[in-house]
Every structure is written in structure tokens, then in C-alpha cells.
Amino acid sequence: MTLRKVNVIILVLLAVAFLIIVQRNLLNLSDILHKENPDAGMILPFESELAPDLKQETVRKGEEIPVLITAAEERLGAVIAAMNSVYQNSKANVVFTIVTMNDTVEHLNAWLSKTRLKNIKYKIVIFKPELLNGKISKDPQTLEATKPLTFARFYLPVYIPEAEKAIYLDDDIIVQGDIQELYDANIKSGHAAAFSDDCDSASAKGIIRGAGNQNNYIGFLDFKKDAIKKLGMRANTCSFNPGVIIANLTEWRNQNITQQLEHWMELNTKEDLYSKTLAESITTPPLLIVFYKRHSAIDPMWHVRHLGTTGAGNRYSPQFVKAAKLLHWNGHYKPWGRTSSYPDVWDKWFIPDPTGKFHPVRKHTADN
């Protein structure tokens, strides 16, 4: 073998050795990078390919919108549907304050944490019935209407102490508009709250069957009583519906609204000030007195009422119901019951109870 051939072989071997060394160094570098950053160089699946329960909703930022709602055990499905409709129809930073009783907390938490509502912001507050001692009648005939949680709205600043403004909602409502719009509604200077006047739209025209004339003050208060006479209120003044309230909590505190409401509650237990034709709301009369000509008005489309009364299906067209920003099934017939108007609208927002305790009652499921 010539010297030239030997040199060539040596050069080839050196080249192979060099390539082997380079390859090993590159592999070692790759291992080091992977240890420092395990995801480096990995191809992640598109977000749409991730399992639904792994997706993270965008954090809602901006001004908080406090919404207070009550949660009675026997109506818990209503609360869930109402909250779901508020949450799904807005991108606002809604924070719910849920006022309930001790024995409902576990059921409520399970429903919220094990369903699509697990991402909502909420706090649960326990209502203390002793707040009402000496303020409500012991008359058995009014016992059904005297449900403690119905008075939670009187204590808005107590339950939401850090806020300057808040919204109260009954549980038998569905919100179809953006709650931000309702929250931004104007409350006149000096007014502590805004309500929907019962003479403002077709939703309140006429006499509600079985309830007397609930469109004016005489339908709620006994104008023959001296305490009512002394107030100088006009009996035919339009009443308002307190199922939706926009509250200026600063004014509420400054004007001692809660204390005023409690005064009229206590006086009623002694002097029986409420009208004998009063329907289902014994919370309304004190509010009518305290806010007489001292409240702002809510846009009628933000409180379409009386869906729970007889003939509601004839009063409203499907097109009108679809256009409404907020629907309220006040009255005897609730959308989770056997007979009501537009239960399909309510069903759209109802979330089945993961514990299996609550079921809407429908005609086709009624016992024969």
C-alpha cells in the first residue's frame, strides 16, 4: 500500500470520527434544552381539538356588576336558569351574591360547581330569619306569601357592602339582553332605585285575573287607614314591580331606605295597612310607600312582566317575547311548572340538576 493511499484512509477515518463527535454533541445539547424547557420543539394541538373540560374561558375583566338573587330550595332550578341566562348573554364581569338558607348551600354549590356554571363568580350569603322578627304578620292566611327570602332585597347594602350600585333579580326571570346595559341605565340624582312602572307597557294593561287591580297603589294599600291617608299619596298612582331593581346603594344608605322599609313592615303588623285585594307580594307595599314618586324608571323591554298569569300566551306574540331583554314569569304559573306560557324559552337556559333532586314539571311528564 502506498503512502498516498494510507493518508487517504486516515483522512477518511478522521472525518468519520469528527462527524460522530459532532452528532453526539448535538444530541447532548438537545437533551439539555429539553430538560430546561420540556415543551420546546413540541407541536401542541389546536385549541379546538382540546377536550371541552380543559378549555379555559377568558377571564372577565373590567368593572364588577353585582347581581343579587335569592335561592329557595324548592325553586333552585329557577335560580340556576336565571343566572345562566345572565352569564351567557353578557361578557361583563358579573359577580352574583346568592342569598339562601343553611340547608340549601350544599345543593346549590353542587349545582354550580359540577355544571357549565363552574366559572362564574359568586358568593353565598345565609339569610337570617330573625331579621324579620316583629316585622311580618303571624296570620296563617298570609303564611304562604311570607317567605323570608322575599325580603332579602330590602337589605341590598348589607349583602353587597362594597358596591355603589347593584341589580336585584327575582328568580323567575330570564335575561335575554346584556346585563351591562341594564346596569348602565340612568338613575336620576337623589333616587336610590329604579323600577318598572306598571302602566308603562302592554305587559301591565288590564286587571290581572284573581288578583284585583295590581296596576296602582290602591291594589296594594288600604287608603282607609290613617297612616296611609297622612302620606298624601294618590290611590290611582301607578304601582311598580320590584322583581327587578337597579339600586344606587350610596343613596340607599344615605336615605336609610332599609330602616324606612322596616318601619312600614312593623307598622303593618300593628295596623294592617295592606289592601285586602293584595295578591302574592307582601314585599311590594313597603317599597311603594318608601319610593312614592322617588324612583327612576326601567326601560319596559328590560322587564316584560306577567308571563306567569292567565292569558299571558295571548298577550304576547312569540316575536315580542324574543325581542324582550328580560322576561318575568311573575304570577301563579311558573315556567318550570306544569302549565305556563313560553316554557320553551325558559328551558333553553335551564341546566339539569347533577344531584337529580330538581326536575321541571311538564304536561307530558304529569302523573296520569
Side-chain angles (χ1 to χ4, degrees):
M1 184 178 295
T2 64
L3 182 61
R4 185 174 180 179
K5 287 182 179 181
V6 172
N7 290 337
V8 170
I9 291 172
I10 292 172
L11 288 174
V12 170
L13 291 173
L14 288 173
V16 171
F18 175 77
L19 290 174
I20 291 172
I21 292 170
V22 170
Q23 182 185 28
R24 286 179 177 176
N25 287 339
L26 288 174
L27 289 173
N28 289 337
L29 179 61
S30 177
D31 288 340
I32 293 170
L33 290 174
H34 184 74
K35 289 176 182 177
E36 292 179 351
N37 183 8
D39 294 332
M42 295 178 65
I43 300 176
L44 296 174
F46 291 105
E47 183 180 354
S48 60
E49 294 175 356
L50 291 172
D53 58 346
L54 295 179
K55 291 183 180 179
Q56 294 294 321
E57 181 182 282
T58 302
V59 177
R60 300 190 181 196
K61 298 180 179 179
E63 181 184 11
E64 288 187 352
I65 297 182
V67 175
L68 187 140
I69 193 166
T70 60
E73 178 67 28
E74 69 275 12
R75 296 163 65 110
L76 211 50
V79 181
I80 294 297
M83 292 174 64
N84 188 37
S85 70
V86 170
Y87 187 72
Q88 300 295 340
N89 285 310
S90 177
K91 296 299 182 184
N93 188 15
V94 181
V95 180
F96 293 97
T97 296
I98 311 168
V99 183
T100 191
M101 299 298 204
N102 262 319
D103 56 2
T104 304
V105 173
E106 184 178 350
H107 189 186
L108 176 61
N109 267 323
W111 212 329
L112 293 173
S113 63
K114 296 179 180 179
T115 65
R116 74 186 72 158
L117 291 180
K118 61 186 176 183
N119 292 320
I120 70 167
K121 295 180 181 179
Y122 69 94
K123 63 178 179 179
I124 295 176
V125 181
I126 307 301
F127 186 84
K128 298 180 179 180
E130 53 267 29
L131 276 174
L132 305 178
N133 289 346
K135 302 182 183 71
I136 55 177
S137 173
K138 301 297 184 181
D139 184 352
Q141 292 184 347
T142 61
L143 190 60
E144 178 64 20
T146 311
K147 295 180 179 179
L149 288 175
T150 64
F151 295 96
R153 73 197 83 186
F154 288 10
Y155 300 92
L156 276 166
V158 177
Y159 295 130
I160 313 177
E162 70 284 355
E164 295 182 1
K165 191 176 184 182
I167 293 172
Y168 166 83
L169 298 176
D170 272 355
D171 60 4
D172 54 350
I173 64 97
I174 289 295
V175 174
Q176 299 186 132
D178 187 341
I179 198 75
Q180 180 80 54
E181 182 182 332
L182 181 63
Y183 183 77
D184 290 340
N186 181 55
I187 299 179
K188 293 181 181 178
S189 178
H191 286 177
F195 305 91
S196 290
D197 291 324
D198 276 334
C199 301
D200 62 5
S201 71
S203 69
K205 290 180 179 177
I207 296 177
I208 306 304
R209 190 175 302 174
N213 189 342
Q214 297 294 292
N215 297 337
N216 53 38
Y217 270 54
I218 201 171
F220 291 90
L221 298 166
D222 187 347
F223 278 78
K224 295 178 182 178
K225 299 295 174 71
D226 288 340
I228 301 299
K229 286 181 181 178
K230 291 177 182 178
L231 293 172
M233 301 185 300
R234 294 177 63 89
N236 64 351
T237 299
C238 272
S239 59
F240 54 76
N241 186 300
V244 177
I245 305 172
I246 311 172
N248 179 331
L249 297 182
T250 301
E251 283 292 341
W252 194 294
R253 297 183 189 96
N254 291 341
Q255 297 178 31
N256 295 316
I257 296 296
T258 296
Q259 290 74 15
Q260 291 187 56
L261 293 169
E262 289 181 325
H263 165 74
W264 288 105
M265 290 169 68
E266 292 172 1
L267 195 60
N268 176 65
T269 63
K270 301 171 184 175
E271 301 184 16
D272 195 20
L273 304 177
Y274 300 166
S275 172
K276 298 303 180 185
T277 64
L278 188 66
E280 59 187 49
S281 177
I282 65 170
T283 57
T284 301
L287 289 162
L288 292 178
I289 295 172
V290 172
F291 287 101
Y292 179 72
K293 295 189 180 300
R294 295 172 59 203
H295 68 276
S296 299
I298 292 175
D299 181 340
M301 294 302 285
W302 265 105
H303 195 179
V304 173
R305 305 177 291 293
H306 306 306
L307 283 167
T309 59
T310 303
N314 298 323
R315 184 180 295 117
Y316 306 116
S317 69
Q319 293 78 14
F320 180 77
V321 169
K322 184 177 180 180
K325 301 292 183 68
L326 184 149
L327 301 168
H328 189 183
W329 279 265
N330 60 311
H332 182 69
Y333 305 105
K334 302 303 182 184
W336 57 89
R338 185 169 283 113
T339 304
S340 73
S341 298
Y342 297 105
D344 55 313
V345 176
W346 185 87
D347 286 343
K348 179 180 177 182
W349 302 105
F350 174 69
I351 300 173
D353 183 359
T355 71
K357 296 178 182 178
F358 182 96
H359 298 280
V361 180
R362 294 290 179 256
K363 287 182 179 179
H364 63 273
T365 61
D367 295 333
N368 293 325

